[in-house]
Amino acid sequence: MNINRPLMPGFLKKADQKLLLNKPGIWSTRAHLVLYYGALFILFLAALCFLEPNDVRNYSTTEYWIGFVSIISAIGLVVWLIYLLRFNVFKKYGNIHPLNALRAFLLYFVSTGIIVLFSYVHPFVESVRANMAFGNEEIVQDINAINLKICQLEFNLLQGPWKYDTVARVKSQTPSTDPPSGYEVDTAVEDLPSVWTAVPYYHLDSTAFSNRLAGTDSLVKINDTVYLMYNTPAYNFVDNYGADDFTKEQLLSSFEIYNKVLRHPPAPAERAAISKELSVLINKYHRPENLRNHSRSEEINDNDTPFEIIQKKYKISEVDQNIGNVVEKKYRWKGRHLPDFIRLFYYVTLGITLLIFIFRHSAVRTFFLSLLTGVLLSIFTALMIAFFRFEGTGFFMLMILYAALFFLGSLLTWANKKRKAITGILINLFVFIAPVFPLLIFGWYYSRMRQQYYLQEPPFVEPFDLDQYLIYPEIGGGLLFLILLATYIGKVYRRWYSLPED
């Protein structure tokens, strides 16, 4: 056999022929072809994404790319399925290795994963481009420099009074606008309210007072119980959340900027150099269209506050947005986002792989009846939840009950004398739910703990961090399913399909 396929090298042709002659079970999965052509497409797609004429400071276009590539992935999946339909060693009653089910599933999973991976190429390349254009420390340093230089240049404009809250430290915590008992005016404190009934103050107990004090930049004591708590104005004009999550240097707070700049104004001779340096930094994070476009919302009005004037004068909103676009792309695969991407990839790949595996090991009619049964069970479960208000533990208990019934139903295969559709449906549903069975138990246990904690039922154990421990039942579910494939699932499918049809 000599089949010519486009862009297929000679070594792969020889490997394809050897697999057909010696390992028809592996050959029939076409996993080697999916890996090769999938890798080629990923390289081509990555090169195309690198050539995308989109500034890394601009909004991300990855959503459009994912939509476009997902269509290509669906087409690739259909083409692969067409090849899978041509030959099936399992359904032809060929010689099957005892671990054939496990091996076939793993090959289906890898092949499906390659196709699903297409949608991850553009987000990954976009992150690479952003990291190539801007360094982690560079962004934080630039943000701090921008804020410091703006405050140096606009020193006179930022000399307004600080806002403060008047707080009374008492036993009970209630807001009030009445003057505290024994109140005496401290003449050394500036800008004190002349009429107390016009300025509300707050009664805070010791705990609330300590928490409030931790977030206060300056404290003025009026008497033994009354304090003025000042917070620094927002001198950090550019303050992008998450920009310093993975850097040694941290973003300066408003209070730190005040101590660095506004306590020590620059000399007039330095203003020209500072203005030039600031202009370079601003232009660094401005896209060309930002500099060309000028809207009415950016025009300075007579009633604008000093902070609004500065925002408009230096187009801070555009700078902050552009830096945010870069940061989002740079750290897309780090921290709290990475587990979400991995889980999305895993469960999408797992779901598609299970459908392919079930289709390849059951009759066509039974496969589609299984899909119909799954849809009907989902509707029935939703109605049960709506009517009986199952929440948390009730839902997970119902799903665990389903899994147990599916498993017991699959055991009937060994007692049947003929191939029954209902038994095949139960096997298929059990296979589909088995990988998440430990996750269902974990969900029930966690929901039960939350219920006991909030209803104050013993034991009074505070629920643990869900994200921290979720990985364990997920790994356990995968390992359990692989063990079942090697010991039970392959055999029960073989037994069911070998029976004479009913």
Side-chain angles (χ1 to χ4, degrees), residues 52-60 126 129 133-134 284 286-289 325-326 329:
E52 181 189 13
N54 185 42
D55 196 315
V56 295
R57 296 167 294 185
N58 204 347
Y59 292 100
S60 174
E126 199 173 51
R129 290 182 61 197
F134 297 94
K284 181 178 180 179
H286 265 313
R287 290 176 282 122
E289 53 267 32
N325 293 336
V326 175
K329 295 169 186 175

Side-chain angles (χ1 to χ4, degrees), residues 319-330:
V319 173
D320 196 52
Q321 181 62 62
N322 293 342
I323 292 177
N325 293 336
V326 175
V327 170
E328 187 274 329
K329 295 169 186 175
K330 284 175 62 64

Side-chain angles (χ1 to χ4, degrees), residues 424-443:
I425 292 171
L426 292 172
I427 295 173
N428 291 340
L429 293 177
F430 170 69
V431 170
F432 203 83
I433 203 172
V436 296
F437 184 72
L439 199 60
L440 297 176
I441 297 177
F442 175 81

